[in-house]
């Protein structure tokens, strides 16, 4: 079965974090409209699905009750002081009116995806408004309020299912890793930029995600980090993915695959220094599609409007098994040669070795 669901409600694409904020939910309108123009939703195996609001109990699978109440207060009174909960007007995650309600809906979209896929009605479902992987138990972080990937992984684990979570956002999936650091029930694999930001005196956000973070207790070896150097291009990225992800998924044999598909790793993205192309992403997402597990897919970061539009449209077509029009691909993706090629390849080799050495045996 190749039936693929696209979670859609214009409300998840109409909120604004702050006028100058890089995360622009309206980017999803461009993805939806591109797919509609390409006829993706007219195919017999396509389903447009409305999200539902997540329940309080579902949110509290991961988040503290005090934090949820703080978000509700911030949602009703965004001009108040909510900084102790990671919500600050000029910070990464500003409070805005209605933030609780919209976050229930973006989280509920991922829950609908999970329910449809588990019931066997769909092979895969994609919630572009989800993938908010930085939110912590009692703290908003990195544009993320409620951690929908962690909530879904937790609810799946509660049903006794083995969950593989693969995070291909440019940033470390820190909130999801933290939620399952001591359990082997959820395998987390994150590929991300790591270390100093070139030409700047700061560490790339969020700063975690070294291969040494491998889990504790029963979870030892079930948190896997592929810590990529700045300027990793598509060829090097594909090499790292192929060396780590398919072999570990085969070894783990999950019941469900959960993916966070942030596209801030694209070479056009203004917030990161990775240089991934749509061609590299096609390769990666085809690996997910070739697997046989029920598959819950989410968006994530992505701050180049055009890269988001083309890549997530392409990725939904892959989920459908539909041919990809050339217009969605990068025309001329960058690729290193010479000394820089050798330098990137050596650093990526180190990232691969670190990730594989960290894994359970
Ligand atoms: Zn990101």
């Amino acid at each position: 079965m190749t039936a693929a669901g696209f979670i859609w409600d214009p409300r998840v694409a109409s909120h604004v974090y702050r006028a100058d904020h890089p995360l622009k939910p309206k980017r999803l309108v461009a993805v939806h409209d591109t797919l509609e123009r390409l006829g993706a939703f007219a195919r017999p195996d396509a389903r447009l699905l409305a999200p539902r609001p997540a329940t309080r109990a579902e949110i509290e699978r991961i988040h503290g009750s005090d934090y949820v109440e703080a978000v509700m207060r911030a949602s009703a009174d965004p001009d108040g002081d909510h900084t102790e909960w990671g919500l600050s007007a000029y910070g990464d995650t500003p409070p805005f009116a209605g933030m609780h309600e919209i976050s229930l809906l973006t989280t509920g979209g991922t829950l609908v995806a999970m329910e449809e896929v588990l019931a066997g009605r769909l092979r895969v479902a994609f919630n572009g408004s989800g993938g908010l992987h930085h939110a912590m138990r009692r703290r908003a972080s990195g544009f993320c309020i409620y951690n929908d990937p962690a909530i879904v992984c937790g609810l799946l684990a509660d049903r006794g299912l083995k969950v593989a979570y693969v995070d291909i956002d440019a940033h470390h999936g820190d909130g999801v890793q933290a939620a399952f650091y001591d359990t082997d029930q959820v395998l987390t694999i994150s590929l991300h930029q790591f270390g100093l930001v070139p030409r700047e005196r700061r560490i790339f956000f969020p700063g975690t995600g070294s291969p040494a973070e491998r889990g504790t207790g029963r979870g030892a070896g079930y948190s896997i980090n592929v810590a990529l150097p700045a300027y990793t291009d598509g060829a090097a990225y594909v090499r790292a993915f192929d060396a780590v992800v398919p072999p570990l998924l085969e070894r783990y044999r999950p019941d469900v695959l959960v993916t966070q598909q942030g596209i801030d790793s694209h070479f056009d993205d203004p917030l990161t220094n990775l240089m991934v192309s749509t061609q590299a992403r096609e390769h990666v997402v085809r690996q997910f599609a070739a697997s046989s597990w029920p598959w819950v897919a989410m968006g994530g970061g992505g701050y180049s409007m055009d890269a988001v539009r083309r890549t997530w449209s392409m990725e939904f077509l892959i989920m459908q098994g539909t041919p990809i029009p050339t217009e969605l691909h990068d025309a001329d993706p960058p690729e290193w040669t010479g000394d820089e090629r050798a330098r990137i390849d050596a650093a990526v080799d180190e990232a691969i070795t670190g990730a594989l050495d960290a894994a359970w045996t």
Side-chain angles (χ1 to χ4, degrees), residues 24-338:
K24 305 206 182 298
K26 69 177 180 195
R27 64 196 174 144
L28 296 173
V29 175
V31 177
H32 170 271
D33 290 357
T34 297
L35 286 168
E36 187 158 72
R37 174 170 59 78
L38 294 170
F41 303 132
R43 293 171 54 87
D45 52 2
R47 291 261 307 281
L48 271 175
L49 295 162
R52 64 168 172 86
T55 66
R56 180 86 183 248
E58 287 165 337
I59 297 293
E60 290 186 10
R61 173 61 181 80
I62 292 296
H63 296 286
S65 187
D66 52 352
Y67 171 69
V68 177
E69 299 208 347
V71 172
M72 290 168 73
R73 284 196 302 276
S75 187
D77 174 26
D79 297 328
D81 181 2
H82 309 285
T83 48
E84 66 172 300
W85 305 97
L87 298 164
S88 111
Y90 300 100
D92 280 350
T93 319
F96 58 91
M99 68 188 302
H100 170 69
E101 291 73 18
I102 199 68
S103 299
L104 291 181
L105 205 57
T106 60
T107 303
T110 306
L111 292 164
V112 168
M114 175 190 84
E115 286 153 4
E116 293 297 307
V117 160
L118 272 193
R121 288 189 286 270
L122 297 172
R123 152 78 177 104
V124 56
F126 173 72
N127 177 26
S129 71
L132 301 172
H133 59 170
H134 295 306
M136 293 292 175
R137 179 167 174 76
R138 298 177 70 248
R139 193 170 177 83
S141 174
F143 319 159
C144 303
I145 297 150
Y146 296 141
N147 194 324
D148 59 294
I151 289 166
V152 158
C153 289
L155 293 173
L156 289 166
D158 292 347
R159 297 186 188 206
L161 299 170
K162 284 176 74 177
V163 184
Y165 171 74
V166 183
D167 187 320
I168 57 173
D169 191 279
H171 299 92
H172 179 224
D174 56 345
V176 185
Q177 173 178 291
F180 305 107
Y181 206 58
D182 60 358
T183 177
D184 58 3
Q185 188 99 28
V186 180
L187 167 67
T188 64
I189 306 177
S190 177
L191 292 86
H192 47 263
Q193 181 178 340
F194 184 77
L196 278 172
V197 176
R199 296 187 300 276
E200 293 181 38
R201 302 172 80 111
R202 65 181 173 97
I203 300 281
F204 187 73
F205 184 87
T208 52
S210 93
E213 295 166 26
R214 59 186 296 273
T216 54
R218 287 183 66 86
Y222 293 90
S223 290
I224 304 296
N225 288 296
V226 186
L228 297 167
Y231 306 131
T232 296
D233 64 1
Y237 191 94
V238 161
R239 205 162 55 78
F241 182 91
D242 284 353
V244 174
V245 180
L248 291 186
L249 292 182
E250 276 305 310
R251 201 197 298 174
Y252 187 66
R253 300 198 165 276
D255 298 306
V256 186
L257 175 66
V258 178
T259 59
Q260 197 275 18
Q261 297 176 196
I263 182 56
D264 42 7
S265 54
H266 190 270
F267 63 84
D268 257 354
D269 196 276
L271 263 53
T272 82
N273 310 98
L274 295 182
M275 292 169 46
V276 172
S277 60
T278 58
Q279 287 81 3
R281 286 284 290 229
E282 176 180 1
H283 175 90
V284 163
V285 174
R286 282 201 189 284
Q287 302 289 310
F288 297 145
S291 75
S292 56
W293 306 297
W295 175 19
V296 179
M298 290 156 286
Y303 310 101
S304 157
M305 295 301 113
D306 184 55
V308 169
R309 181 186 69 81
R310 290 185 293 112
T311 309
W312 286 351
S313 297
M314 173 190 78
E315 293 179 354
F316 187 71
L317 296 182
I318 293 171
M319 292 171 191
Q320 285 193 315
T322 309
I324 298 164
T326 313
E327 63 169 283
L328 297 183
H329 269 304
D330 297 325
D332 188 18
E335 195 159 327
W336 293 113
T337 55

